[in-house]
Amino acid sequence: MEGGFATLRVDAVCAVRTALLTAENLQLAINPEPTVEEQALTNSSGSVEEAQGAGNDDLKEMLESNKESLKLEAMKRIVGLIAKGKNASELFPAVVKNVASKNIELKKLVYVYLVRYAEEQQDLALLSISTFQRALKDPNQLIRASALRVLSSIRVPIIVPIMMLAIKEAATDLSPYVRKTAAHAIQKLYSLEPDQKEHLIEVIEKLLKDKSTLVAGSVVMAFEEVCPDRIDLIHKNYRKLCNLLVDVEEWGQVVIINMLTRYARTQFLSPWKEDGLFDENSEKAFYDSDEEKKEKAESKPYVMDPDHRLLLRNTKPLLQSRNTAVVMAVAQLYWHLAPKHEVSIVTKSLVRLLRSHREVQYIVLQNIATMSIQRKGMFEPYLKSFYVRSTDATHIKTLKLEILTNLANEANISTILREFQTYVKSQDKAFAAATIQAIGRCATNISEVTDTCLNGLVLLLSNRDEIVVAESVVVIKKLLQTQPSQHSEIIKHMAKLFDNITVPMARASILWLIGEYCERVPKIAPDVLRKMAKTFTSEEDIVKLQTVNLAAKLYLTNSKQTKLLTQYILNLGKYDQNYDIRDRTRFIRQLIVPNEKSGALSKYAKRILLAPKPAPVLESSFKDRDRFQLGTLSHTLNTKATGYLELSDWPTEAPDQSVRNVEVIEPVKEWAKPLGKGKPAKSEDKFYSDSGEEEEEEEEEEGSGSSSGSEDSSSSSSSSSSEEESGSEEGKSSSKDSKSSEDSDKSSSHSASNKKKRLQKKKASLGSKDSESDADEKGKGPKAKAGSESSQSQASSSVDGSSSSESGSEADTDSDSGTEQKKKQRPKPKVEEKAKKEVSLLDLDDFAPVPTTKSSVLSPSLLSDLEGLSLSSASSTIQVSSPTFVPAKSHELLHRMSGKGLAAQYHFPRQPCIYSPSMVSVQLTLTNGGDHKLEDVHIGDSSPPGLSIHRFSNIECLEPGASITVSMGIDFNDSTQAANFQLCTKNDQFSVSIQPAVGELFLPVTMTEQDFLKEQGKLTGMNESSANITVSAESASSPISRKVVTVANMGVVPSGQDSIHRFAAKTTSGGALVLATVELKEGAAARLTVNTEKTVVGSMLLRELSTALSQG
């Protein structure tokens, strides 16, 4: 045995020895240099640095070679390394050596590298400054600009004097690209050394005088960065910037527009003062005598500054820009600067931006939400553009919901509530909750639908989704506070659902409602308190607080049933973990439970706890955002951001206008000379051209060119002429106008009158009644008709001769009459807008320098151009016709008992309004049913604010028993919303309202069946409303057309089938087509279809026609 153990011991010792030797050999193998893989795993950073070092050596060799191609390849690799975030600073010495290379591409890459590392390698960068200074003298403008860019990027304070000298030299460079770079360098130098501000302002003042569009945007950006408060620098360059604006690059346009917005708020009077009264004055002045005209002209409180009008006119074409920032900038400019009746021109452009990316939609919708609070009428016609899509993000949906709520009124609330019903079912719970809040706001703002909304919200209490139920309870609580006496049943219903509701906020709201109105539910309230006593310890804190409040209120009103329950709940709350609940419990106990230590407050416990509480006001979250400028970061965040410049208030007195005339007049005179020579040539060509159709086409082309030149200001010459035209439009005659400008004005008046007469001939041959009414309104109806008759009977040469004599006489009368008379004889702005709606997405008509409804703002040439456009685009077969049927029914406007003897009735004659094509004609019959005569009968104030009414002339005296019929025009804006105004006598004022039926908002049109079907094909989908009806026996016996035209002022369209009846009209204000089709089927069944882009009008018309045809 011992021998066996000895053998095992020897074997074990040998095995251990062998293992030790093997381990020693392994250790010897590991100690030497690691392999590549081991090195990568253990010391990866070191290997990368060595590999990069080896790569840098290769790049250094390439940069030091004599071949340009190798150097260029090396620089491309180096810039690639920088783009990947790798450090290439070691190559700085090798790169700087190539800054003097003659290869432009290589120099550009070297400059890119130097801009990146100049601040880190300040010593080496300073050594290369001499190279950059030499490059500033390079004949290539790109090299000069790049050298300045690199020099200004070296953030070393010691070279500030050198940078300052370089910027001053570059500011006088012949190349506009270099001057643009100098403007960029100003901002960099200012951020490095603010003490150089005064010297930089001198350079900015010099660059502001630059006439290049390439420089304008950059120098204005430098102005905004360095000295935004130095408005005096802009005075002399204001008109130049306005005229160059259309040709500046897009981001420069944004900067300039924002700067000019701030400038205008300090230099011009507010165009919002007495905006409505201004229209009334001008309407009456159109018919008054010369003395009255002078008196009213002197009493007018506001006349727009020509420079103010210049800014509005030159920014208007930019609404068609492809850059959304430019469109948004112009929109905010019009919102903050334009007269209120002109702001709506930006609506189409903003709605167009909603087709862009969601980031753009978010900003645009935020601004529309702010606008829609103050101006609902702007976006109401585009209601369907704000309908929520399933693909929209939640924040986009919420903003659209906000806008729909802001736009809700009595006319469209039914449509909006139908949309909201769909939104409540959305899978997006946050959006569904926001929809319920929106329904609550609509119910608060529109009293007619409060009950409907309440009933709908009560139905939502049975929803399976807790969030929807909770939000509904909260909204119902707010709504019930407005009229609690009428809704005790709803409170009872909510109490029954209390056990099924688990959301703390909803449970707390129900408890508050029961406690607040416990006297209306005396049987239910104690039972709810009993249930809460059982679950008090497991409830959330907010529910516990409301439970304590409920117990206190019930103790005060029904102490017999709830005394013990109240004491029990107060004892539970006394030892609650939350200190708020403990404090509330102690306070309530001392307040309601009388004892010896009770203070004086216990006497007033009931008045304190059960005091009537004001109903909460459900307001838009965007209500207070108008304090920030639209389109800014501060407006988006709803808080003042760093660098935000507030818009100043309008000045109370007009600042001196001459500060903008000092240096701008001379270039205007120089540019006006060639313009004055060119214009007569064009007018003579148009004047002496033969052949009718070719002549009209050439006139339209040349007219559109001239109008676009005056409006867009695409060149310096056209821009200067637009300044002169704006001056004449404003009625500001200038003694400094050159003779050439006078000649050009005369020639333009010749050509304008000729074009107008030819277009009037064309209109007369088409039989358009709109053109006849327009001609009568302008006071040129007989002349136009006579001209058209002579043109049909005489040769083209005689036509030219007669038109030249007539245009000459017109030009003479225009030149002899004063500026005031010119204002009152211009055509209406609303006529222009109506014509342009058929032409393009955006209206390009000019604005009136004075906001009037009867007086015109357009020059005769521009008016004729736009008339030509409307003629060429409109189909000759779709024309306004006379009414098929005029109901004799009159409606009572004012009873003689309410009117103290004055009785009034109104009637819709269904004729085009002679005052404005966008107005509905209304006839008033005024009767004196009293014993005393009524003096000074007239129309007073009107509402809503955007309502446009043409008032009848004052009736000086109305004898007892006498009756008089007068006509007036009302622009209902294609809505059945009532027009409220005051019917006044000398001593009294009576509030009256006219609410039109939807059928009275139309003008009948005639068209062929083919055109009807073509237009109907364009108005499908959301633009189509249809219903199956049962035609009554009385309707079946009498013609269908008789029933339809009785309800609505529509024209009958000829139909090839006896079973199909078609009717067509257009809305008075918007000019939108309205098509109705009645298709008779077997028996008494029929299909009624209405097609129009005005969906609200279409649904209302469908409902009225269905009722008329069904009831007979």
Side-chain angles (χ1 to χ4, degrees):
M1 289 292 289
E2 292 180 359
F5 283 116
T7 304
L8 289 173
R9 187 181 297 115
V10 172
D11 292 340
V13 171
C14 292
V16 171
R17 186 179 299 167
T18 304
L20 291 173
L21 291 173
T22 304
E24 187 176 358
N25 294 333
L26 286 173
Q27 186 178 2
L28 292 173
I30 291 174
N31 283 338
E33 292 296 324
T35 61
V36 177
E37 291 81 1
E38 293 169 340
Q39 184 180 7
L41 291 173
T42 59
N43 193 15
S44 59
S45 60
S47 64
V48 170
E49 290 177 359
E50 291 178 5
Q52 188 172 343
N56 289 346
D57 292 339
D58 295 339
L59 292 173
K60 288 180 182 178
E61 292 178 3
M62 295 173 69
L63 288 171
E64 292 173 357
S65 67
N66 296 326
K67 294 184 178 180
E68 294 289 338
S69 59
L70 288 177
K71 293 181 178 181
L72 189 59
E73 180 65 25
M75 286 307 305
K76 288 181 180 178
R77 292 185 186 179
I78 292 171
V79 173
L81 291 174
I82 296 173
K84 294 177 182 178
K86 296 182 179 179
N87 186 13
S89 58
E90 293 182 358
L91 298 170
F92 196 93
V95 172
V96 171
K97 294 178 182 177
N98 294 281
V99 76
S101 174
K102 296 181 180 180
N103 189 322
I104 295 179
E105 294 298 324
L106 180 60
K107 271 190 173 183
K108 288 181 181 178
L109 294 175
V110 170
Y111 287 141
V112 169
Y113 178 90
L114 293 177
V115 169
R116 171 65 180 81
Y117 289 108
E119 190 171 357
E120 296 180 9
Q121 303 282 343
Q122 294 185 10
D123 296 336
L124 293 174
L126 291 175
L127 295 176
S128 58
I129 283 183
S130 59
T131 307
F132 302 142
Q133 288 180 301
R134 287 196 301 272
L136 291 173
K137 306 293 184 182
D138 194 279
N140 190 317
Q141 60 176 352
L142 295 177
I143 301 302
R144 297 199 301 274
S146 299
L148 179 60
R149 186 177 295 112
V150 174
L151 188 63
S152 60
S153 299
I154 301 176
R155 314 289 295 173
V156 182
I158 196 173
I159 66 165
V160 167
I162 299 175
M163 291 172 61
M164 190 72 234
L165 183 61
I167 290 174
K168 287 183 177 180
E169 292 180 356
T172 58
D173 196 283
L174 294 177
S175 169
Y177 182 71
V178 178
R179 301 198 297 272
K180 177 187 178 73
T181 308
H184 291 162
I186 290 174
Q187 305 169 56
K188 298 178 183 179
L189 179 56
Y190 179 71
S191 63
L192 177 65
E193 188 63 43
D195 294 339
Q196 297 288 328
K197 181 176 180 178
E198 294 303 322
H199 298 290
L200 292 175
I201 290 177
E202 295 177 3
V203 181
I204 291 174
E205 185 175 8
K206 184 183 299 180
L207 287 174
L208 280 172
K209 300 176 183 178
D210 201 306
K211 300 176 183 178
S212 172
T213 56
L214 197 63
V215 182
S218 301
V219 67
V220 171
M221 187 66 209
F223 169 83
E224 291 281 84
E225 187 74 21
V226 178
C227 51
D229 54 337
R230 287 291 303 274
I231 296 295
D232 57 294
L233 300 179
I234 305 298
H235 289 322
K236 301 176 183 178
N237 304 287
Y238 171 80
R239 293 175 183 169
K240 182 200 68 180
L241 288 173
C242 289
N243 293 323
L244 293 181
L245 187 58
V246 74
D247 295 320
V248 178
E249 80 280 359
E250 293 172 338
W251 296 112
Q253 289 174 342
V254 174
V255 175
I256 294 175
I257 290 173
N258 288 329
M259 185 274 293
L260 292 179
T261 303
R262 290 194 307 106
Y263 177 86
R265 285 293 287 260
T266 63
Q267 299 300 312
F268 305 130
L269 291 178
S270 171
W272 306 334
K273 294 180 180 178
E274 303 179 20
D275 211 12
L277 296 176
F278 199 85
D279 291 346
E280 298 168 19
N281 291 341
S282 56
E283 284 175 2
K284 296 174 183 177
F286 186 85
Y287 297 102
D288 288 341
S289 62
D290 293 340
E291 294 180 0
E292 291 174 340
K293 286 179 184 178
K294 291 179 180 178
E295 292 176 1
K296 291 181 179 178
E298 292 174 358
S299 62
K300 283 180 181 177
Y302 171 76
V303 175
M304 181 175 282
D305 191 293
D307 290 327
H308 191 172
R309 173 59 58 193
L310 177 68
L311 175 60
L312 294 177
R313 184 170 58 248
N314 286 4
T315 53
K316 184 178 177 182
L318 298 180
L319 288 172
Q320 298 184 80
S321 174
R322 293 176 295 179
N323 189 303
T324 54
V326 176
V327 178
M328 193 64 245
V330 177
Q332 66 85 22
L333 181 140
Y334 266 81
W335 179 257
H336 293 296
L337 300 182
K340 292 183 178 179
H341 66 279
E342 296 181 10
V343 178
S344 58
I345 195 172
V346 307
T347 307
K348 290 182 181 178
S349 303
L350 292 177
V351 172
R352 174 171 62 89
L353 297 183
L354 297 181
R355 304 170 189 167
S356 189
H357 304 292
R358 63 175 58 179
E359 294 81 9
V360 174
Q361 288 184 45
Y362 179 71
I363 299 299
V364 174
L365 286 171
Q366 277 198 326
N367 288 276
I368 291 177
T370 302
M371 293 180 178
S372 60
I373 293 175
Q374 299 182 18
R375 301 289 304 278
K376 290 186 179 182
M378 282 179 60
F379 298 97
E380 190 176 347
Y382 304 95
L383 193 68
K384 62 183 179 180
S385 299
F386 305 107
Y387 286 171
V388 173
R389 300 179 181 178
S390 58
T391 56
D392 288 337
T394 303
H395 60 282
I396 301 295
K397 291 179 181 178
T398 308
L399 283 172
K400 287 186 175 180
L401 195 65
E402 178 74 27
I403 295 170
L404 288 174
T405 309
N406 292 341
L407 298 180
N409 55 35
E410 293 84 350
N412 58 28
I413 186 62
S414 58
T415 306
I416 292 177
L417 287 180
R418 281 198 300 270
E419 279 289 311
F420 286 175
Q421 289 175 8
T422 307
Y423 300 163
V424 170
K425 302 173 185 176
S426 172
Q427 297 299 319
D428 188 346
K429 301 309 175 187
F431 173 58
T435 303
I436 295 172
Q437 294 178 4
I439 293 174
R441 280 182 54 200
C442 291
T444 305
N445 298 334
I446 305 173
S447 58
E448 288 82 354
V449 296
T450 302
D451 294 338
T452 305
C453 293
L454 265 176
N455 294 334
L457 291 173
V458 171
L459 292 176
L460 290 178
L461 295 177
S462 304
N463 197 293
R464 296 179 181 178
D465 189 354
E466 293 182 356
I467 297 178
V468 173
V469 174
E471 203 64 44
S472 300
V473 170
V474 175
V475 174
I476 289 173
K477 168 203 163 189
K478 295 177 180 177
L479 291 179
L480 289 182
Q481 286 184 256
T482 59
Q483 40 187 352
S485 59
Q486 304 175 13
H487 300 292
S488 58
E489 293 298 325
I490 295 178
I491 299 175
K492 294 178 182 178
H493 182 70
M494 294 172 68
K496 293 177 183 178
L497 295 174
F498 184 77
D499 294 337
N500 300 326
I501 297 175
T502 58
V503 179
M505 188 64 188
R507 292 173 68 85
S509 297
I510 294 177
L511 290 175
W512 185 91
L513 272 177
I514 295 174
E516 187 68 17
Y517 308 113
C518 56
E519 295 178 350
R520 305 187 187 280
V521 285
K523 296 180 180 180
I524 294 178
D527 192 54
V528 173
L529 184 63
R530 178 183 59 81
K531 292 180 180 179
M532 289 307 303
K534 293 181 180 180
T535 61
F536 184 85
T537 55
S538 60
E539 297 287 350
E540 294 290 333
D541 292 342
I542 187 173
V543 182
K544 290 180 180 179
L545 288 172
Q546 291 302 329
T547 304
V548 173
N549 288 347
L550 173 61
K553 293 174 182 177
L554 287 178
Y555 182 87
L556 294 174
T557 57
N558 190 4
S559 60
K560 292 182 180 180
Q561 288 183 304
T562 59
K563 183 176 181 180
L564 294 177
L565 278 174
T566 302
Q567 291 179 356
Y568 176 72
I569 290 174
L570 291 177
N571 288 332
L572 290 175
K574 183 178 180 180
Y575 301 103
D576 195 87
Q577 294 181 356
N578 189 292
Y579 59 83
D580 283 335
I581 297 173
R582 296 197 301 269
D583 289 348
R584 176 72 62 88
T585 303
R586 294 190 183 98
F587 168 71
I588 293 294
R589 184 187 296 274
Q590 294 296 322
L591 184 63
I592 66 173
V593 181
N595 54 35
E596 298 177 357
K597 298 181 181 180
S598 297
L601 279 180
S602 60
K603 301 177 182 179
Y604 306 103
K606 198 167 186 177
R607 294 176 61 181
I608 292 173
L609 291 175
L610 297 176
K613 300 169 180 63
V617 180
L618 300 177
E619 294 181 342
S620 170
S621 59
F622 286 82
K623 187 174 183 180
D624 60 339
R625 292 205 184 192
D626 56 354
R627 68 181 188 274
F628 297 114
Q629 184 177 351
L630 293 185
T632 59
L633 178 63
S634 299
H635 177 269
T636 303
L637 301 177
N638 198 20
T639 185
K640 188 172 181 179
T642 304
Y644 174 73
L645 299 173
E646 293 186 357
L647 283 179
S648 61
D649 295 330
W650 296 99
T652 54
E653 296 182 1
D656 186 13
Q657 300 179 5
S658 61
V659 293
R660 292 184 291 274
N661 295 335
V662 176
E663 296 185 7
V664 180
I665 286 181
E666 290 304 323
V668 168
K669 286 186 177 180
E670 293 174 4
W671 295 338
K673 290 181 181 178
L675 189 64
K677 294 177 182 177
K679 271 193 174 180
K682 285 188 178 180
S683 62
E684 288 175 5
D685 291 341
K686 291 184 283 185
F687 179 75
Y688 288 108
S689 61
D690 298 324
S691 80
E693 294 180 359
E694 295 178 359
E695 181 181 17
E696 289 179 0
E697 291 175 0
E698 290 174 3
E699 285 175 358
E700 288 174 6
E701 292 175 1
E702 293 175 3
S704 63
S706 62
S707 65
S708 63
S710 63
E711 277 189 12
D712 297 348
S713 305
S714 56
S715 64
S716 59
S717 61
S718 62
S719 63
S720 63
S721 66
S722 70
E723 284 185 30
E724 295 175 0
E725 290 174 2
S726 67
S728 63
E729 287 177 4
E730 298 296 337
K732 303 280 186 180
S733 58
S734 174
S735 60
K736 300 178 182 179
D737 291 337
S738 62
K739 184 177 180 181
S740 59
S741 64
E742 295 175 358
D743 296 337
S744 64
D745 289 339
K746 289 183 180 180
S747 63
S748 63
S749 64
H750 277 288
S751 60
S753 59
N754 294 333
K755 286 188 283 186
K756 187 181 297 183
K757 293 181 185 307
R758 292 183 177 85
L759 292 173
Q760 287 172 347
K761 297 174 200 172
K762 189 173 181 180
K763 287 184 178 180
S765 64
L766 294 176
S768 172
K769 295 193 175 184
D770 288 343
S771 62
E772 293 176 5
S773 63
D774 292 343
D776 293 340
E777 180 190 348
K778 296 170 189 174
K780 298 178 183 178
K783 185 182 290 186
K785 291 180 181 178
S788 63
E789 292 173 359
S790 63
S791 64
Q792 293 174 2
S793 61
Q794 295 177 0
S796 59
S797 60
S798 63
V799 171
D800 293 338
S802 62
S803 60
S804 65
S805 61
E806 290 176 4
S807 64
S809 62
E810 288 178 7
D812 293 338
T813 56
D814 288 344
S815 60
D816 293 338
S817 62
T819 57
E820 177 187 344
Q821 190 173 357
K822 285 184 181 179
K823 289 181 185 176
K824 296 167 184 171
Q825 291 181 350
R826 288 174 184 150
K828 301 178 191 176
K830 290 193 176 178
V831 177
E832 274 312 304
E833 292 176 5
K834 179 181 172 187
K836 291 298 292 181
K837 280 183 181 176
E838 301 174 351
V839 179
S840 64
L841 177 65
L842 298 175
D843 297 338
L844 295 180
D845 57 309
D846 202 351
F847 289 125
V850 178
T852 65
T853 28
K854 291 195 73 66
S855 63
S856 162
V857 298
L858 299 175
S859 62
S861 60
L862 184 57
L863 175 65
S864 59
D865 293 340
L866 295 179
E867 286 178 347
L869 286 173
S870 64
L871 280 174
S872 60
S873 63
S875 173
S876 60
T877 57
I878 303 178
Q879 303 172 6
V880 176
S881 63
S882 57
T884 307
F885 175 78
V886 180
K889 181 180 178 181
S890 295
H891 309 273
E892 186 176 66
L893 183 65
L894 181 65
H895 193 270
R896 65 182 184 85
M897 297 299 294
S898 304
K900 298 181 180 180
L902 177 63
Q905 291 186 327
Y906 67 91
H907 167 66
F908 294 101
R910 292 189 173 182
Q911 295 290 341
C913 184
I914 62 173
Y915 310 114
S916 171
S918 62
M919 289 185 175
V920 175
S921 183
V922 182
Q923 285 187 354
L924 291 185
T925 301
L926 304 175
T927 306
N928 186 356
D931 300 331
H932 305 282
K933 65 179 180 180
L934 299 174
E935 297 180 354
D936 191 21
V937 182
H938 63 281
I939 293 179
D941 297 335
S942 62
S943 64
L947 181 67
S948 178
I949 295 182
H950 177 86
R951 295 158 170 76
F952 58 81
S953 301
N954 290 13
I955 301 173
E956 295 181 358
C957 182
L958 191 61
E959 298 292 338
S963 180
I964 185 172
T965 299
V966 294
S967 62
M968 59 184 294
I970 304 176
D971 188 352
F972 290 101
N973 198 21
D974 295 341
S975 170
T976 56
Q977 187 174 3
N980 303 312
F981 57 92
Q982 289 184 334
L983 194 59
C984 307
T985 62
K986 184 177 181 180
N987 301 318
D988 299 297
Q989 295 180 349
F990 310 103
S991 296
V992 296
S993 64
I994 296 178
Q995 184 166 13
V998 67
E1000 305 299 340
L1001 303 176
F1002 305 151
L1003 288 175
V1005 298
T1006 58
M1007 61 171 65
T1008 62
E1009 184 176 11
Q1010 181 180 2
D1011 286 337
F1012 183 95
L1013 297 175
K1014 179 180 177 182
E1015 296 296 334
Q1016 191 179 37
K1018 300 177 183 178
L1019 299 170
T1020 56
M1022 295 290 291
N1023 298 324
E1024 182 174 284
S1025 304
S1026 59
N1028 293 318
I1029 61 174
T1030 302
V1031 180
S1032 65
E1034 184 179 349
S1035 297
S1037 60
S1038 62
I1040 295 291
S1041 59
R1042 178 73 173 185
K1043 295 291 182 184
V1044 174
V1045 299
T1046 302
V1047 172
N1049 186 18
M1050 306 185 76
V1052 180
V1053 178
S1055 176
Q1057 301 175 356
D1058 295 337
S1059 60
I1060 298 180
H1061 302 269
R1062 297 186 174 92
F1063 308 90
K1066 68 175 184 178
T1067 59
T1068 307
S1069 181
L1073 275 179
V1074 181
L1075 309 177
T1077 307
V1078 181
E1079 183 178 357
L1080 301 177
K1081 298 183 178 180
E1082 296 180 359
R1087 179 75 171 174
L1088 176 60
T1089 306
V1090 177
N1091 300 83
T1092 178
E1093 63 183 24
K1094 303 279 187 179
T1095 53
V1096 176
V1097 172
S1099 61
M1100 297 173 70
L1101 178 62
L1102 181 71
R1103 185 166 59 250
E1104 293 196 9
L1105 290 179
S1106 300
T1107 304
L1109 294 175
S1110 300
Q1111 296 179 356

